[in-house]
Each structure stands twice: as structure tokens, then as C-alpha cells.
Amino acid sequence: MKKYSFLLLLIMAAGGAIAQNGRSIAAFPQFKQYINPALTGHDGTSVQGFYRNQHNSFENAPQTFFLSGEANLSELNGTANTGKLNHSVGLAAIYDAFGSATTTGLNLSYAASAKITNTLNLRAGLAVTYDKVKTETTDLHPLDPNDPALKADNMLNKYGLNAGVALTSEDFYVGYAAYDAVKSGSGNQGYYEDNYILQHAVQAGYRYALTNGFGLVANALCRYDEQRKAIAEGHLKTVFNNTFWVGGGYRQDAGTILNAGVRIQQLKLGYSRELNTHRVNGERMGANEIVLSYHFSPALKKAGKGLSIW
């Protein structure tokens, strides 16, 4: 049996982990289209992105760059409230870096929505995905320079198809998605076998305006696969004047999440801080995440006590 250097296996495991659709996003309610293709265009037409760094006390710690755009086509052409089938499209690009491992991904999604009651919509969506996962072995310092792992093809090109369904209303949504329902790839699939595990996600949210200037928004997400089993998280935020928000949450087996943000007309800026319960060398692990988004749809869709922030 071939023996691989411990360092190489550690870095490859890290690269495989961050390449999965199950990557952690503190502000997941703002990126519903990436988690469930059926929710593409759910918040209207927008462009948004985030930057996330983890365990920044370590050299070459994990970093993530994300940029996405989604368009509610029925909203743009003025047929959103005509009772016809509504269509939305989205495109997302993501780049992960952790030590010598990098992942570059693209996600092209489509969703269709139809009214089933006066207040409830049924949505369905598909997303075509591509991920390139690579480990630069030249950056490593193995104990054994002749280790066969160093001569292997440490790159993977993976193609997949995600599918999702959802029920939505003005202030409520719930959806289910399956990642890599169909998948294929080329490259060293042995090293990156974790990328080929079928994953499931259930996501839901509810918002309620208590007064004209104060409301509550709750979101939850549960992901499951055969390897990591179930991982659940929930967030609760308070919203003031439909402009400022502050809140917190908890991710299973990880820790507490604190977040705050502000909206200036159609521009939103948010910040999240994760306080991981685990410690390494006496330091608490954690992450910082900055989100910036611009919504082309009107910022205030409803009068009175309505909320337009998730």
C-alpha cells in the first residue's frame, strides 16, 4: 500500500472539503440562489458578493471570494404579476484558497415560478456547476521527496447538476435542494473523492414586521451527506426601519455567529463574525465575512410594516 506524506494528505483533505457545495457561508440567507437553484431571482434582480477569511492567525489560512448576479426576467419585462410562469436566471463564481489547495467554481442556475394560491408560489430550478480543484505540490516540503503522491495528477475538473424545489410567499420560504444529482469529471478523482458525495440541503426563512420601524427575520439551513451527516444552523436578526439590522446565530459543531448591516437605498453592506468553539494553540478559531450587494428591484416593495430584508 502506498504511503503518502501526512502534510500532503492534510492539504488535499482541506482542498476537497472547501470544494464542496457544503462550504460555510455566514450570510447564507442572501445567497439563496447558490444554495438552492429554485430560489434564483427570489429577491429580484441583483448583483452581490462576499469575501470570507477563516483562522486568519495562520499563514495561508482559508479565503473565499464570491460574486454572483441573478435576474428575475418576469420582473424585468413587466409580467411578474400577470399570473404567468415566471423565469429567473443566475450566474455565480467562487474562488477558494487554503494553503496549496485552490478551488475555482462556476454555477449557472435557472428557476421557474408559478402561483398555486393568491399568496403562495411553487418554484423549481436547476443549476449546472463546474469546479476545478488543484493542489500545488511544488509548494510542499514533504519528508520523503520520492513520495509517489508528489508525482500524481493533483487536479480535478468536476461537472455537476443541482436541482431544487421551493414554496415561497411574501414573507416565507422553504426549499429543498440536491447537489450533484448528476455528476462527472476528469482528473485525479481518487484524491478528491469527497467531491462526489451526494448532498442535500433544506432551507427556510420567515420575517415579521412588529411595528412600522421594527421587525424580526429568522432563517435556518440544514445540510446532509453520508460523510459529514447533518449540519444545521439558524440565524435571527432584528431589523430597524427596514434599513439597519443586527443579529446572531449558531452553527452545529462550529459556534456562534454575529452579524450586522446597513442598507442605503438599493445598496446593502453586511458583516459577520464567527466565533468557533474550537481552539488551536489556545486561540479560538473563527471567520470574518463581508457582504456587498446591489438590488436593481425597488428597495421597498410593500407599504406599511412590510420587510424587504432577509
Side-chain angles (χ1 to χ4, degrees):
M1 180 177 180
K2 296 180 180 179
K3 295 182 179 179
Y4 300 91
S5 66
F6 174 76
L7 180 59
L8 183 60
L9 285 176
L10 177 63
I11 293 178
M12 285 186 175
I18 61 177
Q20 298 184 54
N21 282 308
R23 56 170 55 88
S24 297
I25 302 176
F28 71 84
Q30 293 180 241
F31 299 94
K32 296 191 289 291
Q33 144 244 8
Y34 183 69
I35 298 173
N36 186 339
L39 293 171
T40 301
H42 178 245
D43 295 330
T45 302
S46 66
V47 175
Q48 50 193 340
F50 72 80
Y51 167 72
R52 174 185 175 90
N53 64 14
Q54 296 176 245
H55 321 320
N56 51 13
S57 59
F58 293 87
E59 185 178 357
N60 296 323
Q63 297 185 81
T64 301
F65 300 86
F66 181 95
L67 180 64
S68 72
E70 50 191 312
N72 186 320
L73 302 180
S74 302
E75 182 181 70
L76 293 177
N77 61 28
T79 62
N81 298 312
T82 61
K84 298 180 180 179
L85 194 66
N86 294 330
H87 306 273
S88 300
V89 294
L91 177 64
I94 192 162
Y95 176 80
D96 278 316
F98 183 10
S100 296
T102 59
T103 301
T104 304
L106 292 174
N107 181 301
L108 177 62
S109 60
Y110 164 79
S113 173
K115 280 187 172 295
I116 55 177
T117 70
N118 288 334
T119 59
L120 196 62
N121 299 292
L122 175 63
R123 305 176 66 96
L126 295 172
V128 178
T129 67
Y130 166 75
D131 288 287
K132 178 181 179 181
V133 189
K134 186 177 182 181
T135 301
E136 290 290 348
T137 57
T138 56
D139 296 338
L140 305 179
H141 302 282
L143 298 176
D144 180 8
N146 297 317
D147 192 324
L150 298 174
K151 302 177 183 179
D153 178 14
N154 299 315
M155 186 172 70
L156 171 71
N157 291 291
K158 185 175 77 70
Y159 309 89
L161 182 68
N162 302 345
V165 294
L167 287 174
T168 66
S169 67
E170 190 70 35
D171 296 310
F172 165 81
Y173 73 90
V174 61
Y176 163 78
Y179 303 146
D180 291 333
V182 178
K183 51 185 174 284
S184 66
S186 62
N188 199 327
Q189 301 179 21
Y191 282 125
Y192 302 104
E193 60 184 354
D194 290 349
N195 288 269
Y196 284 86
I197 298 175
L198 177 65
Q199 299 177 45
H200 310 270
V202 176
Q203 185 182 6
Y206 178 74
R207 58 189 182 187
Y208 183 74
L210 298 171
T211 68
N212 287 332
F214 178 75
L216 296 175
V217 181
N219 288 275
L221 172 64
C222 181
R223 295 169 295 173
Y224 176 85
D225 63 57
E226 288 292 337
Q227 185 181 73
R228 300 187 307 167
K229 304 304 180 183
I231 297 179
E233 60 184 298
H235 294 186
L236 179 65
K237 67 177 69 171
T238 56
V239 181
F240 306 92
N241 293 324
N242 227 350
T243 303
F244 304 96
W245 69 88
V246 61
Y250 181 80
R251 182 181 301 123
Q252 179 184 344
D253 297 330
T256 304
I257 301 171
L258 304 176
N259 61 70
V262 61
R263 181 176 61 194
I264 304 172
Q265 295 183 350
Q266 289 162 254
L267 181 70
K268 291 195 294 186
L269 176 65
Y271 171 75
S272 298
R273 172 62 180 170
E274 296 184 14
L275 303 174
N276 203 300
T277 55
H278 303 296
R279 293 177 181 270
V280 175
N281 295 330
E283 293 190 31
R284 185 186 295 273
M285 309 301 287
N288 300 287
E289 190 173 289
I290 299 174
V291 176
L292 183 65
S293 65
Y294 183 85
H295 289 258
F296 295 90
S297 309
L300 299 176
K301 295 182 179 180
K302 300 190 302 177
K305 298 190 297 183
L307 286 173
S308 59
I309 290 175
W310 282 109

